[in-house]
Amino acid sequence: DRPAIGVDRDHPFVVGVAEEMDRLGVGVAYKGLHFYTDGSQVVPQLKIPFVILGPGEDSMAHQKDERVALRAVSDIADVFISYILHLDEKEVFQ
């Protein structure tokens, strides 16, 4: 029972992650998700921006036949690596 959390789409951190996803040809979807994340406890205390970024379809989470394509794991790993490698070009916490 936690309040909803969010971050503006135009926040530099969100923009930076989306840029890396675009650069790598990984689709960007801006949407709210209706489930629990530990971010609901960490984000308000630390007052930091966040995105939920992982492989697979959120509709498959916690299902009897939950699965994720290996290509999706590789694509998201590439996004994380690319974002970190280009971090010096970004204004993350401005």
Side-chain angles (χ1 to χ4, degrees), residues 24-68:
L24 296 170
V26 177
V28 177
Y30 299 95
K31 62 181 176 176
L33 298 171
H34 202 257
F35 56 75
Y36 175 79
T37 170
D38 57 354
S40 67
Q41 295 180 45
V42 175
V43 169
Q45 289 181 11
L46 298 178
K47 296 178 177 38
I48 58 174
F50 76 102
V51 295
I52 296 175
L53 179 62
E57 300 295 323
D58 57 88
S59 62
M60 287 298 299
H62 309 295
Q63 302 297 317
K64 182 171 44 174
D65 60 347
E66 181 176 356
R67 63 189 175 279
V68 62

